Amino acid sequence: MFDQTLMQRVKLATLAMQRYNWEQGTVAQAFLESGDLETAILMAHEAAYRQDSQGRCGQIGSSTACTDPCSIGETLIIAVEKTGDNMMKNALDRLIRWAVQDAPRNADGIVYHLDDAPEFWVDSFYMLPPFLARAGYIDEAVTQIDGYWKALFHEKYGLLSHIWDDRASRFVREDFWGVGNGWAMAGLIRVISLLPDEREDEREKLVGRLKRLLDSALLYQRSDGLFHDVLNRPDTFVETNFAQMMAYTIFRGVASGVLSRCYLAPARRMRAAALAKVDHYGLVRDVCGAPTFDRPGIAPEGQAFCLLMQSAWRDGDFEEV
């Protein structure tokens, strides 16, 4: 049963949390997909209001992130479409210019995750390409995905590593971080859903990559439905959010017809295990905990993906078993 009371508690707990740029964008996307357009617009307005001189939205403190500020992009586009607000429209124009022109990138045009290090992070799959695709820059969205895939994908394991140093040509962190692969899965399904009908070749390529990640990650699903923080390392802690991210991706993919219904059974186990982690405050427990993400705790992104998972479940009209 879809529990509206539970989701309301999760929403309230989420709104009480402090948020950086990628957290603001991810939470706004969760409210958008849950159908709470007014809250999503308010969050887009705040991210636009906190735009820096370079065009990066949602800036707090001295963030050096390049792709994270773009996570608000789709919500900001819709907010502008719905309201016509000039401040948000100007912010959107500057954010697009940042994403397609001004953000630091390598010789192949692949945007770095930070402005002070030539690094590609798996997180960027979610932060940048969906915004580019929603803004109409389909070629650029696919180019960024191709670049991140080339740098981070391991053919042997079928999974993505976390951080690559493009200048030194070495991994900063080679681990198959669960949440990192979740960012990639969720980013891929969003871009796939935004591709025009005539982009069948790109759709086939991206769906193939998504299935490879899903099939590889499922090899590490625990009997309780969850996964370890580093997928192939059982000595790392059992983590909640990757299960939510993967379940969200599967529900969206099955509902849209790009994924087989055979993925539903493990996704149901993920969803049940994740919902069991929601406490009476509405906090999703034992996700990668903010702000260091190296231990179990709570985090805005963990809250957001609970909402996203539930929205995808609701929209797919899947039966409880």
Side-chain angles (χ1 to χ4, degrees), residues 177-179 220-231 233-243 273-274 277 284-289 294-297:
W177 182 36
V179 167
Y220 301 103
Q221 188 176 26
R222 293 162 44 92
S223 60
D224 61 4
L226 299 176
F227 299 81
H228 288 277
D229 179 54
V230 177
L231 294 174
R233 283 186 50 194
D235 60 315
T236 60
F237 65 89
V238 179
E239 197 275 331
T240 305
N241 197 28
F242 175 62
K277 292 286 188 175
V284 185
R285 296 290 180 175
D286 298 329
V287 303
C288 275
D294 58 355
R295 66 199 67 188

PDB file of all heavy atoms in Angstrom, residues 177-179 220-231 233-243 273-274 277 284-289 294-297:
ATOM      1  N   TRP A 177      31.501   2.279  -5.358  1.00  0.00           N
ATOM      2  CA  TRP A 177      30.617   2.851  -4.354  1.00  0.00           C
ATOM      3  C   TRP A 177      29.176   2.664  -4.787  1.00  0.00           C
ATOM      4  O   TRP A 177      28.790   3.027  -5.903  1.00  0.00           O
ATOM      5  CB  TRP A 177      30.966   4.330  -4.210  1.00  0.00           C
ATOM      6  CG  TRP A 177      30.180   5.080  -3.191  1.00  0.00           C
ATOM      7  CD1 TRP A 177      29.731   4.631  -1.983  1.00  0.00           C
ATOM      8  CD2 TRP A 177      29.763   6.448  -3.297  1.00  0.00           C
ATOM      9  NE1 TRP A 177      29.068   5.624  -1.324  1.00  0.00           N
ATOM     10  CE2 TRP A 177      29.063   6.749  -2.109  1.00  0.00           C
ATOM     11  CE3 TRP A 177      29.913   7.443  -4.266  1.00  0.00           C
ATOM     12  CZ2 TRP A 177      28.517   8.006  -1.871  1.00  0.00           C
ATOM     13  CZ3 TRP A 177      29.382   8.687  -4.034  1.00  0.00           C
ATOM     14  CH2 TRP A 177      28.703   8.961  -2.853  1.00  0.00           C
ATOM     15  N   GLY A 178      28.359   2.099  -3.882  1.00  0.00           N
ATOM     16  CA  GLY A 178      26.977   1.827  -4.228  1.00  0.00           C
ATOM     17  C   GLY A 178      26.215   3.077  -4.621  1.00  0.00           C
ATOM     18  O   GLY A 178      25.603   3.146  -5.691  1.00  0.00           O
ATOM     19  N   VAL A 179      26.241   4.096  -3.776  1.00  0.00           N
ATOM     20  CA  VAL A 179      25.510   5.322  -4.060  1.00  0.00           C
ATOM     21  C   VAL A 179      26.004   5.970  -5.351  1.00  0.00           C
ATOM     22  O   VAL A 179      25.221   6.536  -6.118  1.00  0.00           O
ATOM     23  CB  VAL A 179      25.595   6.292  -2.872  1.00  0.00           C
ATOM     24  CG1 VAL A 179      25.120   7.695  -3.252  1.00  0.00           C
ATOM     25  CG2 VAL A 179      24.763   5.757  -1.703  1.00  0.00           C
ATOM     26  N   TYR A 220      25.290  -8.450  -6.038  1.00  0.00           N
ATOM     27  CA  TYR A 220      25.727  -8.135  -4.682  1.00  0.00           C
ATOM     28  C   TYR A 220      24.558  -7.822  -3.741  1.00  0.00           C
ATOM     29  O   TYR A 220      24.782  -7.405  -2.605  1.00  0.00           O
ATOM     30  CB  TYR A 220      26.707  -6.960  -4.712  1.00  0.00           C
ATOM     31  CG  TYR A 220      27.932  -7.252  -5.545  1.00  0.00           C
ATOM     32  CD1 TYR A 220      28.068  -6.722  -6.823  1.00  0.00           C
ATOM     33  CD2 TYR A 220      28.937  -8.091  -5.072  1.00  0.00           C
ATOM     34  CE1 TYR A 220      29.192  -7.005  -7.605  1.00  0.00           C
ATOM     35  CE2 TYR A 220      30.050  -8.382  -5.837  1.00  0.00           C
ATOM     36  CZ  TYR A 220      30.178  -7.835  -7.105  1.00  0.00           C
ATOM     37  OH  TYR A 220      31.287  -8.113  -7.878  1.00  0.00           O
ATOM     38  N   GLN A 221      23.328  -8.036  -4.196  1.00  0.00           N
ATOM     39  CA  GLN A 221      22.194  -7.779  -3.305  1.00  0.00           C
ATOM     40  C   GLN A 221      22.169  -8.796  -2.170  1.00  0.00           C
ATOM     41  O   GLN A 221      22.293 -10.002  -2.383  1.00  0.00           O
ATOM     42  CB  GLN A 221      20.869  -7.828  -4.065  1.00  0.00           C
ATOM     43  CG  GLN A 221      19.684  -7.382  -3.211  1.00  0.00           C
ATOM     44  CD  GLN A 221      18.368  -7.344  -3.980  1.00  0.00           C
ATOM     45  OE1 GLN A 221      18.199  -8.058  -4.967  1.00  0.00           O
ATOM     46  NE2 GLN A 221      17.433  -6.511  -3.536  1.00  0.00           N
ATOM     47  N   ARG A 222      22.006  -8.312  -0.972  1.00  0.00           N
ATOM     48  CA  ARG A 222      21.948  -9.159   0.211  1.00  0.00           C
ATOM     49  C   ARG A 222      20.560  -9.800   0.344  1.00  0.00           C
ATOM     50  O   ARG A 222      19.593  -9.368  -0.296  1.00  0.00           O
ATOM     51  CB  ARG A 222      22.244  -8.315   1.456  1.00  0.00           C
ATOM     52  CG  ARG A 222      23.649  -7.774   1.559  1.00  0.00           C
ATOM     53  CD  ARG A 222      23.743  -6.622   2.552  1.00  0.00           C
ATOM     54  NE  ARG A 222      23.014  -6.872   3.788  1.00  0.00           N
ATOM     55  CZ  ARG A 222      23.545  -7.413   4.876  1.00  0.00           C
ATOM     56  NH1 ARG A 222      24.849  -7.737   4.892  1.00  0.00           N
ATOM     57  NH2 ARG A 222      22.827  -7.599   5.962  1.00  0.00           N
ATOM     58  N   SER A 223      20.467 -10.783   1.203  1.00  0.00           N
ATOM     59  CA  SER A 223      19.188 -11.465   1.413  1.00  0.00           C
ATOM     60  C   SER A 223      18.136 -10.532   2.004  1.00  0.00           C
ATOM     61  O   SER A 223      16.933 -10.760   1.840  1.00  0.00           O
ATOM     62  CB  SER A 223      19.381 -12.687   2.323  1.00  0.00           C
ATOM     63  OG  SER A 223      19.902 -12.287   3.583  1.00  0.00           O
ATOM     64  N   ASP A 224      18.588  -9.455   2.695  1.00  0.00           N
ATOM     65  CA  ASP A 224      17.635  -8.503   3.265  1.00  0.00           C
ATOM     66  C   ASP A 224      17.194  -7.435   2.265  1.00  0.00           C
ATOM     67  O   ASP A 224      16.427  -6.534   2.604  1.00  0.00           O
ATOM     68  CB  ASP A 224      18.212  -7.840   4.518  1.00  0.00           C
ATOM     69  CG  ASP A 224      19.489  -7.041   4.250  1.00  0.00           C
ATOM     70  OD1 ASP A 224      19.906  -6.935   3.081  1.00  0.00           O
ATOM     71  OD2 ASP A 224      20.079  -6.529   5.233  1.00  0.00           O
ATOM     72  N   GLY A 225      17.675  -7.514   1.036  1.00  0.00           N
ATOM     73  CA  GLY A 225      17.289  -6.567  -0.003  1.00  0.00           C
ATOM     74  C   GLY A 225      18.235  -5.400  -0.162  1.00  0.00           C
ATOM     75  O   GLY A 225      18.136  -4.661  -1.150  1.00  0.00           O
ATOM     76  N   LEU A 226      19.161  -5.203   0.782  1.00  0.00           N
ATOM     77  CA  LEU A 226      20.077  -4.070   0.750  1.00  0.00           C
ATOM     78  C   LEU A 226      21.434  -4.465   0.163  1.00  0.00           C
ATOM     79  O   LEU A 226      21.622  -5.581  -0.313  1.00  0.00           O
ATOM     80  CB  LEU A 226      20.230  -3.492   2.158  1.00  0.00           C
ATOM     81  CG  LEU A 226      18.945  -2.954   2.798  1.00  0.00           C
ATOM     82  CD1 LEU A 226      19.204  -2.495   4.226  1.00  0.00           C
ATOM     83  CD2 LEU A 226      18.353  -1.814   1.970  1.00  0.00           C
ATOM     84  N   PHE A 227      22.378  -3.526   0.207  1.00  0.00           N
ATOM     85  CA  PHE A 227      23.712  -3.699  -0.368  1.00  0.00           C
ATOM     86  C   PHE A 227      24.740  -3.110   0.593  1.00  0.00           C
ATOM     87  O   PHE A 227      24.413  -2.259   1.433  1.00  0.00           O
ATOM     88  CB  PHE A 227      23.819  -2.966  -1.718  1.00  0.00           C
ATOM     89  CG  PHE A 227      22.870  -3.458  -2.768  1.00  0.00           C
ATOM     90  CD1 PHE A 227      21.546  -3.023  -2.788  1.00  0.00           C
ATOM     91  CD2 PHE A 227      23.289  -4.342  -3.748  1.00  0.00           C
ATOM     92  CE1 PHE A 227      20.664  -3.464  -3.760  1.00  0.00           C
ATOM     93  CE2 PHE A 227      22.419  -4.788  -4.735  1.00  0.00           C
ATOM     94  CZ  PHE A 227      21.096  -4.352  -4.723  1.00  0.00           C
ATOM     95  N   HIS A 228      25.983  -3.514   0.409  1.00  0.00           N
ATOM     96  CA  HIS A 228      27.065  -2.894   1.163  1.00  0.00           C
ATOM     97  C   HIS A 228      27.449  -1.564   0.512  1.00  0.00           C
ATOM     98  O   HIS A 228      27.231  -1.352  -0.689  1.00  0.00           O
ATOM     99  CB  HIS A 228      28.269  -3.831   1.235  1.00  0.00           C
ATOM    100  CG  HIS A 228      28.045  -5.001   2.150  1.00  0.00           C
ATOM    101  ND1 HIS A 228      28.217  -4.916   3.509  1.00  0.00           N
ATOM    102  CD2 HIS A 228      27.643  -6.272   1.897  1.00  0.00           C
ATOM    103  CE1 HIS A 228      27.931  -6.084   4.061  1.00  0.00           C
ATOM    104  NE2 HIS A 228      27.582  -6.924   3.104  1.00  0.00           N
ATOM    105  N   ASP A 229      28.038  -0.689   1.313  1.00  0.00           N
ATOM    106  CA  ASP A 229      28.408   0.648   0.840  1.00  0.00           C
ATOM    107  C   ASP A 229      29.295   0.567  -0.397  1.00  0.00           C
ATOM    108  O   ASP A 229      29.061   1.277  -1.381  1.00  0.00           O
ATOM    109  CB  ASP A 229      29.114   1.397   1.966  1.00  0.00           C
ATOM    110  CG  ASP A 229      29.550   2.783   1.547  1.00  0.00           C
ATOM    111  OD1 ASP A 229      28.695   3.550   1.076  1.00  0.00           O
ATOM    112  OD2 ASP A 229      30.747   3.099   1.695  1.00  0.00           O
ATOM    113  N   VAL A 230      30.337  -0.246  -0.357  1.00  0.00           N
ATOM    114  CA  VAL A 230      31.103  -0.594  -1.555  1.00  0.00           C
ATOM    115  C   VAL A 230      30.581  -1.958  -1.991  1.00  0.00           C
ATOM    116  O   VAL A 230      30.669  -2.931  -1.242  1.00  0.00           O
ATOM    117  CB  VAL A 230      32.615  -0.635  -1.278  1.00  0.00           C
ATOM    118  CG1 VAL A 230      33.381  -1.069  -2.527  1.00  0.00           C
ATOM    119  CG2 VAL A 230      33.105   0.737  -0.814  1.00  0.00           C
ATOM    120  N   LEU A 231      30.019  -2.018  -3.164  1.00  0.00           N
ATOM    121  CA  LEU A 231      29.168  -3.147  -3.539  1.00  0.00           C
ATOM    122  C   LEU A 231      29.841  -4.506  -3.389  1.00  0.00           C
ATOM    123  O   LEU A 231      29.218  -5.459  -2.923  1.00  0.00           O
ATOM    124  CB  LEU A 231      28.667  -2.950  -4.977  1.00  0.00           C
ATOM    125  CG  LEU A 231      27.725  -1.758  -5.171  1.00  0.00           C
ATOM    126  CD1 LEU A 231      27.405  -1.570  -6.643  1.00  0.00           C
ATOM    127  CD2 LEU A 231      26.445  -1.943  -4.369  1.00  0.00           C
ATOM    128  N   ARG A 233      32.405  -5.271  -1.492  1.00  0.00           N
ATOM    129  CA  ARG A 233      33.201  -5.374  -0.255  1.00  0.00           C
ATOM    130  C   ARG A 233      32.281  -5.561   0.953  1.00  0.00           C
ATOM    131  O   ARG A 233      31.766  -4.588   1.515  1.00  0.00           O
ATOM    132  CB  ARG A 233      34.060  -4.124  -0.075  1.00  0.00           C
ATOM    133  CG  ARG A 233      35.310  -4.104  -0.968  1.00  0.00           C
ATOM    134  CD  ARG A 233      36.177  -2.911  -0.635  1.00  0.00           C
ATOM    135  NE  ARG A 233      36.429  -2.817   0.802  1.00  0.00           N
ATOM    136  CZ  ARG A 233      36.933  -1.731   1.390  1.00  0.00           C
ATOM    137  NH1 ARG A 233      37.229  -0.667   0.677  1.00  0.00           N
ATOM    138  NH2 ARG A 233      37.140  -1.722   2.700  1.00  0.00           N
ATOM    139  N   PRO A 234      32.046  -6.809   1.363  1.00  0.00           N
ATOM    140  CA  PRO A 234      31.166  -7.071   2.507  1.00  0.00           C
ATOM    141  C   PRO A 234      31.717  -6.582   3.833  1.00  0.00           C
ATOM    142  O   PRO A 234      30.993  -6.612   4.840  1.00  0.00           O
ATOM    143  CB  PRO A 234      31.014  -8.596   2.495  1.00  0.00           C
ATOM    144  CG  PRO A 234      32.177  -9.107   1.720  1.00  0.00           C
ATOM    145  CD  PRO A 234      32.491  -8.049   0.708  1.00  0.00           C
ATOM    146  N   ASP A 235      32.975  -6.097   3.853  1.00  0.00           N
ATOM    147  CA  ASP A 235      33.512  -5.523   5.084  1.00  0.00           C
ATOM    148  C   ASP A 235      33.062  -4.078   5.282  1.00  0.00           C
ATOM    149  O   ASP A 235      33.290  -3.496   6.344  1.00  0.00           O
ATOM    150  CB  ASP A 235      35.050  -5.598   5.090  1.00  0.00           C
ATOM    151  CG  ASP A 235      35.680  -4.853   3.922  1.00  0.00           C
ATOM    152  OD1 ASP A 235      35.197  -5.002   2.784  1.00  0.00           O
ATOM    153  OD2 ASP A 235      36.670  -4.130   4.144  1.00  0.00           O
ATOM    154  N   THR A 236      32.403  -3.476   4.266  1.00  0.00           N
ATOM    155  CA  THR A 236      31.867  -2.128   4.417  1.00  0.00           C
ATOM    156  C   THR A 236      30.437  -2.206   4.952  1.00  0.00           C
ATOM    157  O   THR A 236      29.791  -3.254   4.886  1.00  0.00           O
ATOM    158  CB  THR A 236      31.903  -1.359   3.085  1.00  0.00           C
ATOM    159  OG1 THR A 236      31.106  -2.046   2.103  1.00  0.00           O
ATOM    160  CG2 THR A 236      33.337  -1.241   2.571  1.00  0.00           C
ATOM    161  N   PHE A 237      29.946  -1.098   5.480  1.00  0.00           N
ATOM    162  CA  PHE A 237      28.653  -1.116   6.171  1.00  0.00           C
ATOM    163  C   PHE A 237      27.490  -1.351   5.206  1.00  0.00           C
ATOM    164  O   PHE A 237      27.575  -1.080   4.008  1.00  0.00           O
ATOM    165  CB  PHE A 237      28.447   0.167   6.974  1.00  0.00           C
ATOM    166  CG  PHE A 237      28.344   1.442   6.155  1.00  0.00           C
ATOM    167  CD1 PHE A 237      27.120   1.889   5.676  1.00  0.00           C
ATOM    168  CD2 PHE A 237      29.478   2.218   5.898  1.00  0.00           C
ATOM    169  CE1 PHE A 237      27.016   3.061   4.951  1.00  0.00           C
ATOM    170  CE2 PHE A 237      29.387   3.406   5.166  1.00  0.00           C
ATOM    171  CZ  PHE A 237      28.153   3.822   4.689  1.00  0.00           C
ATOM    172  N   VAL A 238      26.415  -1.876   5.746  1.00  0.00           N
ATOM    173  CA  VAL A 238      25.191  -2.080   4.969  1.00  0.00           C
ATOM    174  C   VAL A 238      24.492  -0.733   4.828  1.00  0.00           C
ATOM    175  O   VAL A 238      24.253  -0.034   5.822  1.00  0.00           O
ATOM    176  CB  VAL A 238      24.262  -3.107   5.649  1.00  0.00           C
ATOM    177  CG1 VAL A 238      22.982  -3.285   4.831  1.00  0.00           C
ATOM    178  CG2 VAL A 238      24.981  -4.438   5.820  1.00  0.00           C
ATOM    179  N   GLU A 239      24.171  -0.358   3.620  1.00  0.00           N
ATOM    180  CA  GLU A 239      23.752   1.000   3.291  1.00  0.00           C
ATOM    181  C   GLU A 239      22.352   0.971   2.662  1.00  0.00           C
ATOM    182  O   GLU A 239      22.018   0.057   1.921  1.00  0.00           O
ATOM    183  CB  GLU A 239      24.782   1.615   2.343  1.00  0.00           C
ATOM    184  CG  GLU A 239      24.750   3.116   2.214  1.00  0.00           C
ATOM    185  CD  GLU A 239      23.758   3.612   1.188  1.00  0.00           C
ATOM    186  OE1 GLU A 239      23.487   2.867   0.203  1.00  0.00           O
ATOM    187  OE2 GLU A 239      23.236   4.727   1.357  1.00  0.00           O
ATOM    188  N   THR A 240      21.544   1.989   2.946  1.00  0.00           N
ATOM    189  CA  THR A 240      20.138   2.006   2.528  1.00  0.00           C
ATOM    190  C   THR A 240      19.895   2.699   1.197  1.00  0.00           C
ATOM    191  O   THR A 240      19.047   2.273   0.406  1.00  0.00           O
ATOM    192  CB  THR A 240      19.280   2.700   3.610  1.00  0.00           C
ATOM    193  OG1 THR A 240      19.478   2.057   4.866  1.00  0.00           O
ATOM    194  CG2 THR A 240      17.806   2.644   3.261  1.00  0.00           C
ATOM    195  N   ASN A 241      20.619   3.782   0.917  1.00  0.00           N
ATOM    196  CA  ASN A 241      20.198   4.634  -0.192  1.00  0.00           C
ATOM    197  C   ASN A 241      20.392   4.005  -1.561  1.00  0.00           C
ATOM    198  O   ASN A 241      19.585   4.233  -2.461  1.00  0.00           O
ATOM    199  CB  ASN A 241      20.911   5.992  -0.151  1.00  0.00           C
ATOM    200  CG  ASN A 241      20.211   7.022  -1.026  1.00  0.00           C
ATOM    201  OD1 ASN A 241      19.009   6.945  -1.247  1.00  0.00           O
ATOM    202  ND2 ASN A 241      20.969   7.985  -1.529  1.00  0.00           N
ATOM    203  N   PHE A 242      21.446   3.211  -1.743  1.00  0.00           N
ATOM    204  CA  PHE A 242      21.614   2.615  -3.067  1.00  0.00           C
ATOM    205  C   PHE A 242      20.405   1.769  -3.439  1.00  0.00           C
ATOM    206  O   PHE A 242      19.970   1.774  -4.610  1.00  0.00           O
ATOM    207  CB  PHE A 242      22.892   1.772  -3.144  1.00  0.00           C
ATOM    208  CG  PHE A 242      23.036   1.046  -4.449  1.00  0.00           C
ATOM    209  CD1 PHE A 242      23.131   1.735  -5.643  1.00  0.00           C
ATOM    210  CD2 PHE A 242      23.054  -0.344  -4.494  1.00  0.00           C
ATOM    211  CE1 PHE A 242      23.244   1.063  -6.868  1.00  0.00           C
ATOM    212  CE2 PHE A 242      23.172  -1.019  -5.705  1.00  0.00           C
ATOM    213  CZ  PHE A 242      23.263  -0.306  -6.893  1.00  0.00           C
ATOM    214  N   ALA A 243      19.833   1.060  -2.483  1.00  0.00           N
ATOM    215  CA  ALA A 243      18.642   0.259  -2.767  1.00  0.00           C
ATOM    216  C   ALA A 243      17.499   1.149  -3.245  1.00  0.00           C
ATOM    217  O   ALA A 243      16.756   0.788  -4.177  1.00  0.00           O
ATOM    218  CB  ALA A 243      18.224  -0.522  -1.524  1.00  0.00           C
ATOM    219  N   ALA A 273      12.862  -3.103   2.108  1.00  0.00           N
ATOM    220  CA  ALA A 273      13.967  -2.944   3.063  1.00  0.00           C
ATOM    221  C   ALA A 273      14.209  -1.476   3.372  1.00  0.00           C
ATOM    222  O   ALA A 273      14.471  -1.102   4.523  1.00  0.00           O
ATOM    223  CB  ALA A 273      15.229  -3.592   2.506  1.00  0.00           C
ATOM    224  N   ALA A 274      14.131  -0.623   2.358  1.00  0.00           N
ATOM    225  CA  ALA A 274      14.366   0.811   2.568  1.00  0.00           C
ATOM    226  C   ALA A 274      13.253   1.436   3.397  1.00  0.00           C
ATOM    227  O   ALA A 274      13.522   2.226   4.318  1.00  0.00           O
ATOM    228  CB  ALA A 274      14.495   1.518   1.226  1.00  0.00           C
ATOM    229  N   LYS A 277      13.468   1.219   7.020  1.00  0.00           N
ATOM    230  CA  LYS A 277      14.489   2.062   7.644  1.00  0.00           C
ATOM    231  C   LYS A 277      13.974   3.467   7.985  1.00  0.00           C
ATOM    232  O   LYS A 277      14.717   4.288   8.527  1.00  0.00           O
ATOM    233  CB  LYS A 277      15.699   2.187   6.715  1.00  0.00           C
ATOM    234  CG  LYS A 277      16.488   0.897   6.528  1.00  0.00           C
ATOM    235  CD  LYS A 277      17.312   0.577   7.753  1.00  0.00           C
ATOM    236  CE  LYS A 277      18.259  -0.588   7.513  1.00  0.00           C
ATOM    237  NZ  LYS A 277      19.134  -0.815   8.685  1.00  0.00           N
ATOM    238  N   VAL A 284      15.176   8.629   6.973  1.00  0.00           N
ATOM    239  CA  VAL A 284      15.621   7.360   6.399  1.00  0.00           C
ATOM    240  C   VAL A 284      16.981   7.044   7.003  1.00  0.00           C
ATOM    241  O   VAL A 284      17.965   7.740   6.751  1.00  0.00           O
ATOM    242  CB  VAL A 284      15.716   7.437   4.864  1.00  0.00           C
ATOM    243  CG1 VAL A 284      16.065   6.064   4.294  1.00  0.00           C
ATOM    244  CG2 VAL A 284      14.405   7.939   4.265  1.00  0.00           C
ATOM    245  N   ARG A 285      17.040   6.003   7.786  1.00  0.00           N
ATOM    246  CA  ARG A 285      18.232   5.675   8.549  1.00  0.00           C
ATOM    247  C   ARG A 285      19.207   4.797   7.757  1.00  0.00           C
ATOM    248  O   ARG A 285      18.824   4.054   6.863  1.00  0.00           O
ATOM    249  CB  ARG A 285      17.843   4.950   9.841  1.00  0.00           C
ATOM    250  CG  ARG A 285      17.027   5.795  10.804  1.00  0.00           C
ATOM    251  CD  ARG A 285      17.883   6.897  11.418  1.00  0.00           C
ATOM    252  NE  ARG A 285      17.129   7.730  12.361  1.00  0.00           N
ATOM    253  CZ  ARG A 285      17.681   8.681  13.092  1.00  0.00           C
ATOM    254  NH1 ARG A 285      18.978   8.920  13.007  1.00  0.00           N
ATOM    255  NH2 ARG A 285      16.935   9.417  13.916  1.00  0.00           N
ATOM    256  N   ASP A 286      20.479   4.923   8.116  1.00  0.00           N
ATOM    257  CA  ASP A 286      21.567   4.068   7.615  1.00  0.00           C
ATOM    258  C   ASP A 286      21.851   4.251   6.129  1.00  0.00           C
ATOM    259  O   ASP A 286      22.364   3.355   5.472  1.00  0.00           O
ATOM    260  CB  ASP A 286      21.283   2.586   7.910  1.00  0.00           C
ATOM    261  CG  ASP A 286      21.197   2.309   9.401  1.00  0.00           C
ATOM    262  OD1 ASP A 286      21.885   3.013  10.177  1.00  0.00           O
ATOM    263  OD2 ASP A 286      20.432   1.423   9.811  1.00  0.00           O
ATOM    264  N   VAL A 287      21.536   5.450   5.615  1.00  0.00           N
ATOM    265  CA  VAL A 287      22.063   5.825   4.303  1.00  0.00           C
ATOM    266  C   VAL A 287      23.503   6.314   4.498  1.00  0.00           C
ATOM    267  O   VAL A 287      23.960   6.476   5.633  1.00  0.00           O
ATOM    268  CB  VAL A 287      21.210   6.940   3.650  1.00  0.00           C
ATOM    269  CG1 VAL A 287      19.769   6.502   3.523  1.00  0.00           C
ATOM    270  CG2 VAL A 287      21.317   8.243   4.421  1.00  0.00           C
ATOM    271  N   CYS A 288      24.229   6.545   3.409  1.00  0.00           N
ATOM    272  CA  CYS A 288      25.539   7.207   3.519  1.00  0.00           C
ATOM    273  C   CYS A 288      25.320   8.552   4.204  1.00  0.00           C
ATOM    274  O   CYS A 288      24.649   9.433   3.655  1.00  0.00           O
ATOM    275  CB  CYS A 288      26.134   7.435   2.134  1.00  0.00           C
ATOM    276  SG  CYS A 288      27.041   6.051   1.482  1.00  0.00           S
ATOM    277  N   GLY A 289      25.860   8.710   5.403  1.00  0.00           N
ATOM    278  CA  GLY A 289      25.511   9.854   6.222  1.00  0.00           C
ATOM    279  C   GLY A 289      26.244  11.130   5.858  1.00  0.00           C
ATOM    280  O   GLY A 289      27.472  11.134   5.709  1.00  0.00           O
ATOM    281  N   ASP A 294      30.826   8.522   4.725  1.00  0.00           N
ATOM    282  CA  ASP A 294      31.695   7.362   4.919  1.00  0.00           C
ATOM    283  C   ASP A 294      31.216   6.472   6.059  1.00  0.00           C
ATOM    284  O   ASP A 294      31.940   5.592   6.515  1.00  0.00           O
ATOM    285  CB  ASP A 294      33.142   7.805   5.173  1.00  0.00           C
ATOM    286  CG  ASP A 294      33.268   8.716   6.392  1.00  0.00           C
ATOM    287  OD1 ASP A 294      32.234   9.096   6.987  1.00  0.00           O
ATOM    288  OD2 ASP A 294      34.418   9.061   6.727  1.00  0.00           O
ATOM    289  N   ARG A 295      29.985   6.695   6.504  1.00  0.00           N
ATOM    290  CA  ARG A 295      29.426   5.908   7.602  1.00  0.00           C
ATOM    291  C   ARG A 295      27.900   5.990   7.523  1.00  0.00           C
ATOM    292  O   ARG A 295      27.351   6.925   6.901  1.00  0.00           O
ATOM    293  CB  ARG A 295      29.919   6.442   8.945  1.00  0.00           C
ATOM    294  CG  ARG A 295      29.440   7.832   9.280  1.00  0.00           C
ATOM    295  CD  ARG A 295      30.296   8.483  10.363  1.00  0.00           C
ATOM    296  NE  ARG A 295      31.653   8.731   9.855  1.00  0.00           N
ATOM    297  CZ  ARG A 295      32.659   9.146  10.614  1.00  0.00           C
ATOM    298  NH1 ARG A 295      32.481   9.323  11.909  1.00  0.00           N
ATOM    299  NH2 ARG A 295      33.855   9.356  10.087  1.00  0.00           N
ATOM    300  N   PRO A 296      27.197   5.054   8.148  1.00  0.00           N
ATOM    301  CA  PRO A 296      25.729   5.108   8.102  1.00  0.00           C
ATOM    302  C   PRO A 296      25.192   6.278   8.901  1.00  0.00           C
ATOM    303  O   PRO A 296      25.724   6.617   9.958  1.00  0.00           O
ATOM    304  CB  PRO A 296      25.298   3.763   8.700  1.00  0.00           C
ATOM    305  CG  PRO A 296      26.468   3.302   9.509  1.00  0.00           C
ATOM    306  CD  PRO A 296      27.694   3.846   8.838  1.00  0.00           C
ATOM    307  N   GLY A 297      24.152   6.912   8.374  1.00  0.00           N
ATOM    308  CA  GLY A 297      23.568   8.062   9.043  1.00  0.00           C
ATOM    309  C   GLY A 297      22.313   8.504   8.318  1.00  0.00           C
ATOM    310  O   GLY A 297      21.535   7.677   7.831  1.00  0.00           O
TER     311      GLY A 297
END
